[in-house]
Amino acid sequence: MRVIFMGTGDIAIPSFRWLLGAQGVEVVALVTQPDKPEGALSETEFAALLQTAQGWIIGPQAHVTRALIAASPSCLVFSRRGVGYERVDISAAKDLGRIAAIATGGNEESVADHAIGMMLAVAVSAVISIYLADAGYRALLAALEAEDTPWAR
């Protein structure tokens, strides 16, 4: 099977390594994004921006460290979009009398729409795959995993 792997960051490395060692799998291309240090603020620069903020809704790439929390005394609430606190130093927030929360409900409808769309895409792919397999095009099915599909043209 020929595979084009698309993944970025540390989270993609285990899957990519598995694919490289998998029998019958040929990785024909790797698509990734380079790290983006240009334009990113340093922790000191960002702390300066937080000096007058009373709250911060944290994006997916931000790391909220003890130093950043301590350097922004007026910022009382650190709220993470979505769920999870893996990038927030919770013990530092508690020690420094700050509130760490999650901003629920911000994108529930979008996530639900995306989930329905993905289910529909899988259903369509399953029907097409069954049709092709029944018609004897098993080799075509394997090729489609790395090639453009004829019905998408």
Side-chain angles (χ1 to χ4, degrees), residues 40-117:
L41 296 174
S42 70
E43 193 168 298
T44 305
E45 293 169 322
F46 195 72
L49 292 174
L50 286 175
Q51 288 296 313
T52 59
Q54 295 178 329
W56 175 21
I57 298 178
I58 305 157
Q61 301 302 318
H63 290 271
V64 183
T65 63
R66 178 176 290 275
L68 187 57
I69 295 170
S72 50
S74 67
C75 193
L76 302 177
V77 178
F78 296 86
S79 184
R80 173 93 162 70
R81 283 188 295 179
V83 296
Y85 295 107
E86 63 275 359
R87 294 179 182 253
V88 179
D89 188 339
I90 296 296
S91 61
K94 184 177 178 182
D95 294 347
L96 296 169
R98 311 298 169 73
I99 298 169
I102 57 173
T104 60
N107 64 346
E108 289 171 350
E109 288 182 27
S110 297
V111 170
D113 290 346
H114 181 72
I116 295 295

Side-chain angles (χ1 to χ4, degrees), residues 123-135 137-138 141 144 151:
V124 167
S125 294
V127 169
I128 292 169
S129 296
I130 291 168
Y131 171 78
L132 290 173
D134 287 347
Y137 292 103
R138 295 183 195 283
L141 286 173
L144 290 177
W151 52 86

Side-chain angles (χ1 to χ4, degrees), residues 18-34:
W18 180 87
L19 278 173
L20 289 176
Q23 256 186 8
V25 174
E26 176 190 2
V27 178
V28 296
L30 168 65
V31 180
T32 187
Q33 293 182 1

